[in-house]
Amino acid sequence: MKNLSDYIDVYNLLPPEECKSAIESLKDQWEKHVFTYHKGGQYNHDNELDISHQYNEILDNTVFCSLKLYCSKHNIPGWNGFTPCRFNRYNPGTEMHIHDDRLQLNVNGDYKGQPTLSIVGLLNDDYTGGDFVMFDDYKVNLSAGDVMIFPSSFMYPHKVTKVTNGTRFSFVSWAW
């Protein structure tokens, strides 16, 4: 049996100009989102996270290509679909507490079930803090243009540590 970390793959698929273009296209497209997580028998809320659902064809294609690479490497027959990218903006003081991605997907008003794979892309790396951490202490080193894929199950708890300086821009998608 493999280690759980063997199913966390990172691909550098986005050139710097595409990352910068994606960030610049989002200048006024943000809305507040409060992320709820369960800890210590209670529901808690993270700092308000800025999100955007603006469509980006290049990132959509990047998610598609990364899923093909991942499924080929791990001998997975495929997937039924994936969500459009959601952009996350972490301003200083913003973080996402530990959670897993056992969520109910609702795409274009249609219920699609629970995701099987989580896709996270990083659009910049000119900030401090904001580390992506799995399993409480396994830091995944990401650079601008990287796309990470891992299983969307309780076996893959993850968080983004508090951003201390600068702004972290990322995108997420889920495949089912």
Side-chain angles (χ1 to χ4, degrees):
M1 180 168 177
K2 293 183 175 186
N3 293 317
L4 290 175
S5 60
D6 292 339
Y7 294 97
I8 303 168
D9 288 359
V10 177
Y11 307 100
N12 188 266
L13 297 175
L14 285 167
E17 60 274 5
E18 295 298 341
C19 293
K20 186 175 181 176
S21 174
I23 292 169
E24 288 183 8
S25 73
L26 296 166
K27 289 227 185 267
D28 298 318
Q29 302 293 322
W30 299 100
E31 59 187 70
K32 291 291 184 190
H33 176 74
V34 177
F35 177 77
T36 303
Y37 64 99
H38 190 263
K39 183 177 181 182
Q42 298 179 20
Y43 283 99
N44 300 285
H45 305 286
D46 269 333
N47 305 17
E48 290 184 347
L49 181 68
D50 292 333
I51 65 168
S52 175
H53 294 282
Q54 182 174 332
Y55 180 72
N56 184 304
E57 184 176 357
I58 291 169
L59 295 184
D60 219 38
N61 190 46
T62 301
V63 168
F64 179 80
C65 291
S66 64
L67 283 167
K68 284 176 49 177
L69 289 168
Y70 187 91
C71 289
S72 176
K73 176 182 176 184
H74 296 287
N75 202 26
I76 298 170
W79 65 93
N80 293 322
F82 60 92
T83 65
C85 293
R86 183 188 81 195
F87 295 92
N88 292 339
R89 178 174 67 182
Y90 296 81
N91 290 312
T94 306
E95 65 188 316
M96 187 175 288
H97 283 86
I98 197 150
H99 66 283
D100 60 57
D101 287 346
R102 288 176 297 144
L103 49 97
Q104 299 297 314
L105 293 176
N106 185 341
V107 181
N108 299 327
D110 296 327
Y111 175 75
K112 301 294 184 189
Q114 290 187 326
T116 55
L117 295 172
S118 297
I119 303 99
V120 176
L122 189 64
L123 295 172
N124 70 319
D125 51 18
D126 56 346
Y127 58 87
T128 54
D131 296 323
F132 195 96
V133 179
M134 306 278 295
F135 319 119
D136 291 326
D137 62 356
Y138 181 81
K139 180 181 169 188
V140 180
N141 293 313
L142 297 172
S143 299
D146 284 349
V147 177
M148 171 179 48
I149 300 183
F150 56 92
S152 303
S153 82
F154 73 95
M155 303 282 292
Y156 289 84
H158 55 280
K159 66 182 178 181
V160 175
T161 63
K162 190 175 292 187
V163 173
T164 56
N165 188 34
T167 303
R168 180 186 194 272
F169 292 94
S170 61
F171 63 90
V172 295
S173 177
W174 296 275
W176 66 91

